[in-house]
Amino acid sequence: QLQLVESGGGLVQPGGSLRLSCAASGLSSDYHAIGWFRQAPAKEREGVSCISSSDGRIHYADSVKGRFTISRDNAKNTVYLQMNSLKHEDTAVYYCAWTPVRCYDLMPTYEYEVWGRGTQVTVDS
């Protein structure tokens, strides 16, 4: 059974950096994508980035382009989200999720079948 576990969240000052990890276990296919989402209080869950395992296709939300970098280590079944120049508005619970389709854009939540429990990121001075 596929499971995803996020880690790396925490409290950081504006302008700081964090690296989130999404460790996957039970993967049975090399053809899939992992997406990062976030959800702030009283807001809808929004897509942040996604990466395909087979061709490395990557997409970012406009709000994080140039600041966040998604990467993968297929040998470790882990996807990372490097977050730099963090802002107050980046504060949210960050989730990773798995989809059996390749990342063709910032796909909506219903395209993803397995979700992690999330990790809190708080940007505050």
Side-chain angles (χ1 to χ4, degrees), residues 34-36 48-52 57-59 70 103 105-106 112:
I34 295 289
W36 282 100
V48 174
S49 183
C50 65
I51 185 168
S52 296
R57 190 174 302 180
I58 289 174
H59 294 278
I70 193 171
C103 170
D105 202 342
L106 283 183
Y112 291 83

Side-chain angles (χ1 to χ4, degrees), residues 22-74:
C22 174
S25 60
L27 279 173
S28 61
S29 171
D30 291 333
Y31 294 94
H32 61 271
I34 295 289
W36 282 100
F37 291 77
R38 65 186 181 186
Q39 188 166 19
K43 292 189 176 181
E44 291 188 355
R45 193 169 297 188
E46 63 173 355
V48 174
S49 183
C50 65
I51 185 168
S52 296
S53 65
S54 56
D55 57 14
R57 190 174 302 180
I58 289 174
H59 294 278
Y60 295 103
D62 288 341
S63 58
V64 306
K65 281 181 181 176
R67 299 189 299 122
F68 290 11
T69 303
I70 193 171
S71 61
R72 73 188 195 278
D73 185 334
N74 286 347

